[in-house]
Amino acid sequence: MRGVSKHLQLLRPTSSRCCSYSVNSSLVSPHYVPPETESLLNHCYRRDLPSAMHVLDSMERRGVWADSITYSELIKCCLAHGAVREGKRVHRHIFSNGYHPKTFLTNILINMYVKFNLLEEAQVLFDKMPERNVVSWTTMISAYSNAQLNDRAMRLLAFMFRDGVMPNMFTFSSVLRACERLYDLKQLHSWIMKVGLESDVFVRSALIDVYSKMGELLEALKVFREMMTGDSVVWNSIIAAFAQHSDGDEALHLYKSMRRVGFPADQSTLTSVLRACTSLSLLELGRQAHVHVLKFDQDLILNNALLDMYCKCGSLEDAKFIFNRMAKKDVISWSTMIAGLAQNGFSMEALNLFESMKVQGPKPNHITILGVLFACSHAGLVNEGWYYFRSMNNLYGIDPGREHYGCMLDLLGRAEKLDDMVKLIHEMNCEPDVVTWRTLLDACRARQNVDLATYAAKEILKLDPQDTGAYVLLSNIYAISKRWNDVAEVRRTMKKRGIRKEPGCSWIEVNKQIHAFILGDKSHPQIDEINRQLNQFICRLAGAGYVPDTNFVLQDLEGEQREDSLRYHSEKLAIVFGIMSFPKEKTIRIWKNLKICGDCHKFAKLIAELEQRHIVIRDPIRYHHFQDGVCSCGDYW
DNA sequence: GTAGGGTTAG
C-alpha cells in the first residue's frame, strides 16, 4: 500500500466525487473518501464559510484531500462571501505538496480570481497550466474584455488559435466586445460564419452591439434580420443600437415589432424606448412608457432614463417629482437633474442642487461639472463660472477637458468678453477643435466683431472645409453688418463646394402625430389657416409694440420683403398651430433643429402673454419656457 | 468551469 500512495499523488484530487485520495496517509486506498468531505460539502451548500474553513484546517492537519467537486463548491462559497483571503487559502491548499490539479479545477480557481478582480493572479495561474482548454482561454479573454483591456483580449485569441484550441460561442461573444477595428470585426464575423456559430443568440447580440458601436447600423440590422429564433436580448440590442444613434424613429418601430411578435418589454427595452422618446421630444409617448416603468420601480438606470426624458422634453415638474422619489440616486441621476435644470433656464436651482449634492450626494464627475458650468454660462455668472472651473481640479481631482473649456468660452462669449475667450483658447491643454472655434464665432456674431469672426470661421474651415455651420454663421455676421458683397461671396463658395444650409425646421406633437414645419414649405394641410392666424397675431402684436427684428434676416432684401422672410420662420408656424390645436391650459411644446432667432424669441414671449399660454421650445442646445411675456432663459442664449 | 442588452455632457 505504501508503494501505491506514491503513485496516487498524480491522481489527487480528481473531478470525480467518489474518488478522493490522501497522499500522506499510509492507509489510503484509491477509493478512500475522508470522512470530513461530506461535512465540508454540507457547509459549502449552506454557505457556512467559517465552518467549511474549519473542516479544511482539520483535513490539512490530517494530510487528506477532498475531491474536485467539493473544492469547486468551497470556491463558490468563498465567492458568495467575497472572501478573497479564504479563496487564496483554498488555492494554496489545493496546490500544496507541489501538486497540479486537473484543468477543470484550475479553471475554477482562475475564474475565482477574475471574479475577485485579481487579473494578475488569474494570469499567473493561467500561465502555469500545463494544458489549457477552451474554458481556460475563454475565462481569461472574457476577463480582459470586461476590464476593457481589449488589446490583451484580442492577443489572447491569437495565441489560442496558435495553440490549436478552437474558440466556442462563449469565446466569440466575449472577444467580440473587445474588438475595436472594423477590419478585425469582419474577420471575426466570417470566422464565426465558417464555424456556424452565428445562430447562437449570445454571439448574435454581441455582433449587433459591436457593429452598432462602430456606427455600422445597416450591418447590425442585417445580423438582426438573419435571426431565425427569437430572443429578447437580441431585440434589445438592435433597439438600443438605433436609440443610441439618435434614430428614435427606427428604434420605436423595432420596439413595436418586438411587442407584436410577443416579447414583453423589460428594463433594457424601456430604457431604449425612453431614450428614443427623448431624442424625438415625444413627451406623451414618454409618459405612456412611464406607466410601464412603474413595474420596475427600483431600477436605477431606467429611472435615470425617465428623469432625462422629462428634463429633455422640458417637463421639469415631472423631472423633479421623479428625482425626489428615486430611492437610489447615483452620479448620473444628480448630473442629469443639474444639467436639466440648467438647460431649462433654472440656473440658480441647478447650482443649489449642486451644493446639496456636495453635502449629501455622490462625488461629482466631469459631466456633473459640465452641468454646473452650463448653469453659470446661461445665467451670466462669470465669477461663479471661473470659481467652479478653477477649483474642479483641487476639489474633485478632475482636469478640465475640451468640453469644460467649451462651457467657459460660452460663458465668456455671452458676457461679451471676447479677449478673455482668445486668452483661454491659448491656455487650453488640448488643441482647439471645430466646436471651440464655433463658440468663438457665435460670440463674435452676437458682439458683431467681424474681424475675429472671420478668423474663427477660417480656423473652422481649416479643420473641416465642409462645416455648414461656419459658412452660415459667417454669412450671418456679414449680413448683420450689411456687408452684402461678402455675404454673396460666402454663398458662392458654399455653392461651389456643394454645401447647403440646413433649412429651419420645427416639430410639434398633436394627437400622437408629429407635425413638421419647414421654412417656406406649404405642405401642411392647414397651412392656409395657420398663415391667416399668424398674420392676425402679428397685427395684434404690432398694437402691443412688436416690430420684426430684421437683424435676423440673412438675405439682402429690403423693407417689407425682409419682414416677410422672418414672418414664416418654422417656429412661428408651429406656435400658431399649437395655439389652434390645444386648449389654453395645455403647454405647447415645440422642438427645432436650429437655434431660435431673436425675432421668433420676441414673438414667442409676446404671444405667450397675449394668449396666456405656456410655450416650451427646445433647440439643439437648450430650452426656452415662455410664460407671461418672459422667457426662462432671461433673453440670454 | 467560460458569454448578452439599458442611463448623464457636447
Side-chain angles (χ1 to χ4, degrees):
Chain A
M1 197 47 96
R2 265 176 202 277
V4 172
S5 74
K6 214 172 176 185
H7 297 296
L8 287 179
Q9 278 203 3
L10 299 171
L11 299 169
R12 174 200 64 87
T14 76
S15 59
S16 159
R17 273 201 61 196
C18 61
C19 299
S20 298
Y21 312 100
S22 159
V23 242
N24 298 338
S25 167
S26 57
L27 297 172
V28 291
S29 79
H31 302 290
Y32 176 73
V33 179
E36 291 93 338
T37 303
E38 200 176 335
S39 74
L40 178 57
L41 207 50
N42 280 335
H43 292 315
C44 292
Y45 286 145
R46 287 201 312 275
R47 297 290 183 251
D48 181 355
L49 186 59
S51 306
M53 294 309 286
H54 189 71
V55 176
L56 195 75
D57 281 342
S58 104
M59 289 175 74
E60 226 164 35
R61 275 196 303 274
R62 287 188 52 223
V64 289
W65 275 263
D67 58 301
S68 295
I69 294 286
T70 306
Y71 287 130
S72 82
E73 286 303 322
L74 182 56
I75 293 166
K76 272 189 210 164
C77 190
C78 294
L79 276 168
H81 285 267
V84 179
R85 204 163 44 95
E86 285 79 356
K88 286 184 172 176
R89 257 202 62 202
V90 176
H91 173 191
R92 278 199 304 275
H93 166 82
I94 292 172
F95 275 74
S96 57
N97 284 359
Y99 181 72
H100 277 277
K102 292 230 157 150
T103 309
F104 164 77
L105 191 55
T106 313
N107 284 344
I108 294 175
L109 278 168
I110 292 176
N111 186 40
M112 175 190 80
Y113 282 121
V114 170
K115 297 258 166 68
F116 283 143
N117 222 359
L118 299 170
L119 293 201
E120 279 192 26
E121 276 88 341
Q123 182 72 53
V124 169
L125 207 45
F126 177 81
D127 289 341
K128 282 201 298 209
M129 287 176 89
E131 260 181 45
R132 305 174 189 94
N133 63 16
V134 61
V135 178
S136 333
W137 285 101
T138 304
T139 306
M140 288 311 297
I141 288 175
S142 112
Y144 286 127
S145 169
N146 284 334
Q148 296 188 346
L149 296 166
N150 296 337
D151 272 0
R152 285 193 166 195
M154 293 295 285
R155 257 206 317 268
L156 271 184
L157 182 77
F159 292 149
M160 175 180 184
F161 184 68
R162 203 190 53 193
D163 267 23
V165 181
M166 203 43 205
N168 63 13
M169 59 273 260
F170 290 82
T171 327
F172 281 122
S173 67
S174 299
V175 82
L176 276 170
R177 285 170 210 290
C179 186
E180 287 177 330
R181 289 169 43 201
L182 191 59
Y183 172 78
D184 293 335
L185 177 56
K186 295 263 182 207
Q187 296 249 317
L188 274 175
H189 193 168
S190 60
W191 193 2
I192 289 166
M193 301 287 280
K194 213 149 94 191
V195 291
L197 282 173
E198 78 279 10
S199 55
D200 180 83
V201 288
F202 284 76
V203 173
R204 195 181 295 283
S205 63
L207 277 169
I208 293 173
D209 294 342
V210 185
Y211 274 120
S212 157
K213 191 174 77 186
M214 294 185 183
E216 301 282 325
L217 286 187
L218 288 178
E219 202 56 41
L221 201 57
K222 200 167 146 244
V223 174
F224 169 76
R225 294 227 163 103
E226 283 161 1
M227 177 169 65
M228 305 296 280
T229 55
D231 180 79
S232 67
V233 175
V234 176
W235 274 101
N236 286 341
S237 292
I238 193 72
I239 294 172
F242 283 98
Q244 285 163 353
H245 284 87
S246 305
D247 190 344
D249 251 354
E250 185 61 28
L252 291 175
H253 177 72
L254 284 161
Y255 166 68
K256 280 183 202 146
S257 314
M258 175 187 182
R259 299 304 309 274
R260 225 180 7 250
V261 296
F263 285 100
D266 64 12
Q267 291 100 311
S268 167
T269 330
L270 288 172
T271 305
S272 297
V273 165
L274 283 171
R275 184 158 174 171
C277 293
T278 307
S279 67
L280 297 170
S281 261
L282 296 177
L283 181 61
E284 295 311 320
L285 192 60
R287 279 192 208 285
Q288 282 180 28
H290 185 173
V291 177
H292 298 286
V293 171
L294 296 174
K295 275 186 285 191
F296 308 104
D297 196 31
Q298 298 302 313
D299 193 299
L300 179 61
I301 298 179
L302 188 47
N303 275 322
N304 283 343
L306 187 63
L307 178 65
D308 188 46
M309 185 276 290
Y310 280 127
C311 284
K312 293 246 173 64
C313 291
S315 188
L316 267 285
E317 291 309 310
D318 290 300
K320 284 186 223 169
F321 178 78
I322 298 293
F323 183 76
N324 290 331
R325 64 178 288 285
M326 276 170 73
K328 202 172 161 237
K329 300 182 188 88
D330 64 359
V331 64
I332 296 182
S333 329
W334 287 85
S335 307
T336 305
M337 193 70 234
I338 290 170
L341 285 165
Q343 288 172 326
N344 281 278
F346 307 103
S347 292
M348 290 320 293
E349 266 192 73
L351 294 180
N352 288 338
L353 190 64
F354 180 60
E355 291 306 317
S356 26
M357 179 182 183
K358 286 203 251 178
V359 178
Q360 45 167 309
K363 191 178 160 218
N365 66 12
H366 68 288
I367 295 175
T368 322
I369 305 296
L370 277 177
V372 172
L373 294 177
F374 196 95
C376 295
S377 161
H378 286 259
L381 302 170
V382 179
N383 292 336
E384 289 80 351
W386 275 123
Y387 164 74
Y388 288 120
F389 182 75
R390 295 285 185 218
S391 64
M392 57 191 273
N393 186 289
N394 284 343
L395 294 181
Y396 314 109
I398 303 164
D399 280 327
R402 208 195 295 282
E403 290 86 357
H404 300 99
Y405 281 106
C407 273
M408 280 312 290
L409 290 171
D410 206 40
L411 171 59
L412 296 170
R414 287 161 198 281
E416 308 190 16
K417 294 179 185 300
L418 295 184
D419 292 345
D420 288 349
M421 287 181 88
V422 175
K423 223 160 89 190
L424 191 62
I425 290 177
H426 286 119
E427 250 181 54
M428 280 169 59
N429 52 10
C430 45
E431 281 300 305
D433 68 351
V434 168
V435 181
T436 314
W437 293 116
R438 198 177 294 142
T439 311
L440 181 63
L441 181 54
D442 216 10
C444 295
R445 182 186 61 83
R447 306 284 86 81
Q448 304 194 18
N449 185 329
V450 181
D451 292 339
L452 197 53
T454 314
Y455 172 70
K458 287 185 177 156
E459 289 296 325
I460 296 177
L461 296 174
K462 256 192 239 166
L463 293 168
D464 179 10
Q466 296 293 309
D467 190 293
T468 320
Y471 291 108
V472 172
L473 278 167
L474 194 57
S475 111
N476 285 8
I477 291 164
Y478 287 142
I480 290 169
S481 352
K482 300 193 171 43
R483 287 166 55 171
W484 304 117
N485 287 340
D486 291 322
V487 172
E489 178 58 36
V490 174
R491 298 270 152 128
R492 266 198 298 278
T493 316
M494 285 174 78
K495 206 168 166 189
K496 209 163 65 197
R497 295 188 184 171
I499 294 160
R500 292 188 56 189
K501 187 190 167 196
E502 193 180 1
C505 195
S506 297
W507 296 269
I508 181 167
E509 185 186 3
V510 174
N511 294 331
K512 295 185 185 156
Q513 287 267 320
I514 299 169
H515 297 255
F517 294 93
I518 305 163
L519 179 71
D521 176 41
K522 296 196 164 45
S523 61
H524 193 276
Q526 286 157 275
I527 192 70
D528 291 337
E529 178 60 15
I530 295 169
N531 279 333
R532 201 180 60 75
Q533 295 221 14
L534 174 59
N535 288 335
Q536 277 183 5
F537 279 129
I538 289 177
C539 285
R540 284 168 65 196
L541 291 179
Y546 169 67
V547 183
D549 187 344
T550 50
N551 268 338
F552 294 94
V553 179
L554 306 182
Q555 294 105 338
D556 181 12
L557 302 170
E558 286 304 325
E560 231 173 78
Q561 248 188 316
R562 302 190 65 178
E563 283 185 25
D564 267 358
S565 70
L566 276 176
R567 189 181 292 245
Y568 303 110
H569 270 182
S570 62
E571 52 267 57
K572 289 201 184 78
L573 301 175
I575 291 172
V576 173
F577 182 61
I579 294 175
M580 286 163 52
S581 310
F582 293 139
K584 272 206 181 320
E585 61 280 4
K586 192 161 167 64
T587 303
I588 296 171
R589 296 172 192 281
I590 292 162
W591 70 102
K592 56 182 299 297
N593 60 340
L594 303 175
K595 278 165 92 174
I596 187 169
C597 85
D599 182 64
C600 288
H601 195 266
K602 192 159 73 183
F603 175 83
K605 281 196 296 186
L606 293 170
I607 204 152
E609 188 172 30
L610 181 76
E611 284 289 298
Q612 286 299 297
R613 295 282 186 151
H614 182 200
I615 302 170
V616 181
I617 299 184
R618 167 186 179 178
D619 71 22
I621 307 290
R622 59 162 305 147
Y623 303 77
H624 301 264
H625 292 248
F626 300 96
Q627 204 158 20
D628 299 327
V630 290
C631 177
S632 62
C633 77
D635 299 341
Y636 206 71
W637 76 94

